Amino acid sequence: MVVAAVLLLASALFVATPTPAALVAVAVGLLLTGVHRVVVVGDEVRWAGRLGRSEAYFRKVVRASSDAVLVLDEQRVTTWAAPALADPAQAAGRPLVGALLVDRVHPQDVETVRAWLSDPDGPAAALGGLCSFRLPAADGSWRVWEAGVTDLRADAAVGDLVLHCRDVTVRLHAEDELRSLAFTDPVTGLPNRAAHVIALAEELAAAGEVSQVSLLLFEVEGLTAARENVGRDVVDLSLVEIGRRLRATVRGDDLVARVGAEVFAVLAHGEGTEPDRVASRCLSVVEQPVVTPLGLVDLSAAVGLVPLVAGLGSETVLDRAELAVRSARQAGPGSVRRYDPLLGEARDRRERLRADLVGARARGELGLVWQPIVSLTEQQVTGVEALVRWDHPVFGELEPEEFIPVAERAGLVGDLQRWVLHEATLAAAALPEHGAPLRLGINISPVHLASGTVVGDVSTALRATGFPAERLVVEVTGSTALLEDPAISADFAALRLMGVHLALDDFGAESSTLAHLTRLPIDVVKLDRSFLARVDKEVQTRALCASVIGIGGDLGIDVVAEGVETPSQLTVLRTMGCGFAQGFLLSRPLTLPALVACLDAGRGHLWPGQVGRVDAG
């Protein structure tokens, strides 16, 4: 077009009539111009169509996306908001576009969002690049959004910041529900053990040298019996009532939690003896009967108290509380016991014994002593009881009352008692005989009895040593449920068929009843030392002993009085017609050589101890 215009202008100036070349050039230029415009218009139409479709597509994508978007300018004013954010806010009367974001979030989130957006390194570097805040919903409530950020400050055409938001309201609600389930006891609605441990750790972190808070641990007794008698639903009602009573008794800032099946805990505030008074008040309300549709549930409890001071850890405090509760339980229902360092020392001693008991036999630390059993009518030794002793390298000689329970908990009692059976029968087989052969009494642990191996263990020991079965007396004790178990009854019958005699040990203690004398195939009853402690002083105790001795005589059962320690006790027992006795008054436990020498010296006819002196007097 330029060339054509120049040619045409030159022709007009210098030549009167334009040249054919100029006319052709102009015509071609006009034609090319027309073609160009047609092409350009077509391109513009096509690109406009594509741009419109692309914009519509991306608008639909943004509207349909679960991730909402906010665009903020340099002043943190919202310049564009996705419909998922803009529409609810508009319906709530708090439009987002044209307003500062911090003016639209929940008042409690303002400082968090302001700090997040004003971070000098950019919001993406603050708070891990994410921020949660609440924006208004259409119904006036608040929805929780979690936002990430894209920094586009280099592109002024788009904006300063783009926030990619996700609605996390439902997720947070679900997390709150799970958190509630994880830290709440489903029966009582109280905090559970996990929540209690967290609260305990917080109190310990704030504790000082002087205790301001104490842990009270309540172990409730009676719920197991209620479950067996009236069912689990009544137990659940009782647990709910216990929790309600505890919460109503303590202060508002004291935390009540259920930390075990029958265990409750209270973090009680107060100095000095104030926690003891709180424990007493709580104990009094817990021990009141619980009224249920099926009747009354009688409960009792034992309470352990541990003051919280600086330097203690949660595990240490809980361990001390368990020791204090154990001490309270041993003291009897309705007892409160503070933690005492002596309790920890006793526990440490038990742990040391448990560790040292493994291999004690191989090290030659275990041995037997023998306590004579005297016939009060014949005035001679008619039997001996084999008692195991442990010569501990640190604690000295230990009696079975201390280490047998340790062996039971450690699972070592079976091996220990098999060794006692073998050693005792082997030694007793070689004892000198002066008149009738001596009977040998051996105690069997309830745990060993429940294992089901007693019959085989006794049979093995008798075969290995050649000791006559009719001279062996197996002494058993245990709860009523254990002794009346069908499997235990079958073991008793098998022992009797072998010729072994059975003795009911510790009769008169809490675990034995008169019904055992008729239900069990026993030959000997051994009166417990606690039963005889005041037989020479109390009329009631004397009457009970006389009744048992009389029933034993009618049933053909020998009665042995254990723990005879004074001449007056021995005189009363002989007057009642008790057949046999053993105790420190007659003889302390003897080593095997001492027993042999004593039997040889007395020739077995007249006991050379207290019995002879009583008769002589």
Side-chain angles (χ1 to χ4, degrees):
M1 288 295 294
V2 172
V3 172
V6 171
L7 293 176
L8 184 61
L9 181 58
S11 299
L13 292 176
F14 302 106
V15 181
T17 302
T19 63
L23 294 175
V24 171
V26 170
V28 171
L30 292 174
L31 177 62
L32 290 176
T33 300
V35 172
H36 176 265
R37 292 304 305 157
V38 170
V39 172
V40 169
V41 169
D43 288 342
E44 289 178 351
V45 171
R46 286 194 300 274
W47 284 112
R50 290 180 182 180
L51 182 60
R53 288 193 298 272
S54 177
E55 182 178 359
Y57 172 78
F58 283 105
R59 285 183 181 276
K60 290 182 179 180
V61 169
V62 171
R63 287 181 178 273
S65 175
S66 60
D67 288 346
V69 176
L70 287 174
V71 180
L72 310 181
D73 63 12
E74 294 181 357
Q75 286 72 40
R76 304 306 184 247
V77 174
T78 303
T79 58
W80 187 84
L85 293 167
D87 294 347
Q90 185 71 33
R94 297 174 61 87
L96 296 178
V97 177
L100 289 169
L101 180 61
V102 293
D103 292 340
R104 293 294 182 258
V105 300
H106 193 280
Q108 296 178 357
D109 300 332
V110 170
E111 294 303 323
T112 301
V113 174
R114 178 177 287 116
W116 185 64
L117 293 177
S118 62
D119 186 84
D121 296 326
L127 303 177
L130 295 176
C131 181
S132 294
F133 49 83
R134 285 163 286 182
L135 289 174
D139 58 359
S141 62
W142 296 88
R143 306 289 292 182
V144 183
W145 298 86
E146 185 179 76
V149 64
T150 300
D151 192 349
L152 297 179
R153 286 175 292 183
D155 191 345
V158 177
D160 193 19
L161 296 175
V162 177
L163 306 186
H164 305 275
C165 306
R166 183 185 299 273
D167 190 345
V168 294
T169 307
V170 175
R171 189 193 75 190
L172 294 180
H173 179 71
E175 290 176 356
D176 291 339
E177 294 262 346
L178 291 175
R179 189 177 297 108
S180 176
L181 292 175
F183 295 104
T184 304
D185 176 59
V187 176
T188 63
L190 296 173
N192 60 11
R193 185 178 184 86
H196 171 71
V197 171
I198 294 175
L200 177 60
E202 293 175 351
E203 293 289 354
L204 287 171
E209 296 298 327
V210 178
S211 173
Q212 303 287 336
V213 183
S214 295
L215 170 61
L216 310 180
L217 201 62
F218 292 78
E219 187 171 281
V220 182
E221 299 178 5
L223 293 175
T224 300
R227 182 180 294 107
E228 295 175 353
N229 296 330
V230 292
R232 184 176 299 275
D233 291 340
V234 171
V235 172
D236 290 346
L237 290 175
S238 302
L239 290 170
V240 172
E241 177 62 15
I242 293 171
R244 186 196 66 78
R245 292 178 182 180
L246 289 175
R247 282 183 292 187
T249 305
V250 301
R251 300 183 181 90
D253 55 349
D254 295 340
L255 176 67
V256 180
R258 184 187 177 204
V259 297
E262 300 177 355
V263 182
F264 290 81
V266 176
L267 289 174
H269 292 73
E271 300 181 13
T273 60
E274 180 61 22
D276 298 85
R277 292 192 288 271
V278 174
S280 298
R281 291 199 302 269
C282 292
L283 191 59
S284 64
V285 299
V286 168
E287 292 190 326
Q288 295 176 7
V290 178
V291 180
T292 70
L294 295 180
L296 297 179
V297 177
D298 291 323
L299 301 174
S300 61
V303 186
L305 190 154
V306 182
L308 307 186
V309 293
L312 295 179
S314 299
E315 293 184 0
T316 301
V317 171
L318 292 173
D319 182 61
R320 290 183 174 184
E322 293 287 350
L323 293 174
V325 167
R326 184 182 303 170
S327 175
R329 190 169 60 245
Q330 293 173 350
S335 300
V336 180
R337 290 291 183 270
R338 274 181 172 255
Y339 170 77
D340 189 286
L342 294 178
L343 298 176
E345 294 175 8
R347 191 270 313 279
D348 295 340
R349 179 184 175 101
R350 289 192 298 271
E351 295 296 331
R352 173 69 183 270
L353 292 180
R354 179 183 291 111
D356 292 347
L357 190 57
V358 179
R361 187 181 65 186
R363 294 190 298 269
E365 297 172 0
L366 299 179
L368 296 178
V369 295
W370 312 78
Q371 186 168 37
I373 299 174
V374 176
S375 171
L376 299 183
T377 55
E378 300 175 8
Q379 299 183 13
Q380 67 178 6
V381 178
T382 58
V384 292
E385 181 179 358
L387 303 171
V388 64
R389 292 289 189 269
W390 183 6
D391 186 13
H392 193 275
V394 175
F395 303 126
E397 185 175 274
L398 304 178
E399 297 196 2
E401 289 79 8
E402 181 174 8
F403 65 84
I404 289 297
V406 175
E408 290 175 342
R409 290 191 294 269
L412 302 173
V413 71
D415 290 338
L416 175 60
Q417 297 214 295
R418 279 187 284 271
W419 176 82
V420 172
L421 279 168
H422 181 272
E423 294 297 316
T425 52
L426 181 64
L431 287 175
E433 296 184 7
H434 301 284
L438 298 180
R439 284 186 177 183
L440 169 65
I442 299 178
N443 287 285
I444 297 297
S445 161
V447 175
H448 188 201
L449 186 64
S451 67
T453 66
V454 171
V455 174
D457 295 338
V458 170
S459 177
T460 300
L462 295 178
R463 285 198 309 269
T465 61
F467 189 76
E470 60 273 11
R471 292 174 54 190
L472 178 62
V473 181
V474 172
E475 301 180 10
V476 298
T477 185
S479 64
T480 299
L482 174 64
L483 294 179
E484 295 182 356
D485 184 88
I488 302 299
S489 300
D491 287 346
F492 287 166
L495 291 172
R496 290 292 299 275
L497 288 175
M498 293 166 55
V500 175
H501 298 280
L502 294 176
L504 183 59
D505 199 10
D506 298 335
F507 188 84
E510 296 180 358
S511 61
S512 58
T513 65
L514 288 173
H516 289 153
L517 300 181
T518 57
R519 293 178 183 176
L520 300 176
I522 59 175
D523 306 289
V524 181
V525 171
K526 304 191 74 172
L527 298 178
D528 186 68
R529 65 182 65 240
S530 63
F531 195 45
L532 300 175
R534 303 186 64 82
V535 70
D536 56 337
K537 298 181 178 65
E538 293 181 352
V539 176
Q540 296 88 343
T541 303
R542 190 179 305 119
L544 289 173
C545 288
S547 299
V548 175
I549 292 171
I551 293 173
D554 294 339
L555 297 176
I557 298 174
D558 293 333
V559 178
V560 179
E562 289 186 295
V564 178
E565 298 182 354
T566 65
S568 60
Q569 290 176 348
L570 182 62
T571 301
V572 171
L573 291 169
R574 294 184 69 191
T575 303
M576 292 179 182
C578 183
F580 303 87
Q582 67 180 108
F584 287 177
L585 176 68
L586 302 173
S587 174
R588 290 181 176 272
L590 305 171
T591 63
L592 186 61
L595 175 64
V596 172
C598 194
L599 292 175
D600 289 339
R603 299 184 59 82
H605 297 298
L606 181 65
W607 177 246
Q610 186 62 44
V611 173
R613 291 198 294 271
V614 170
D615 288 346

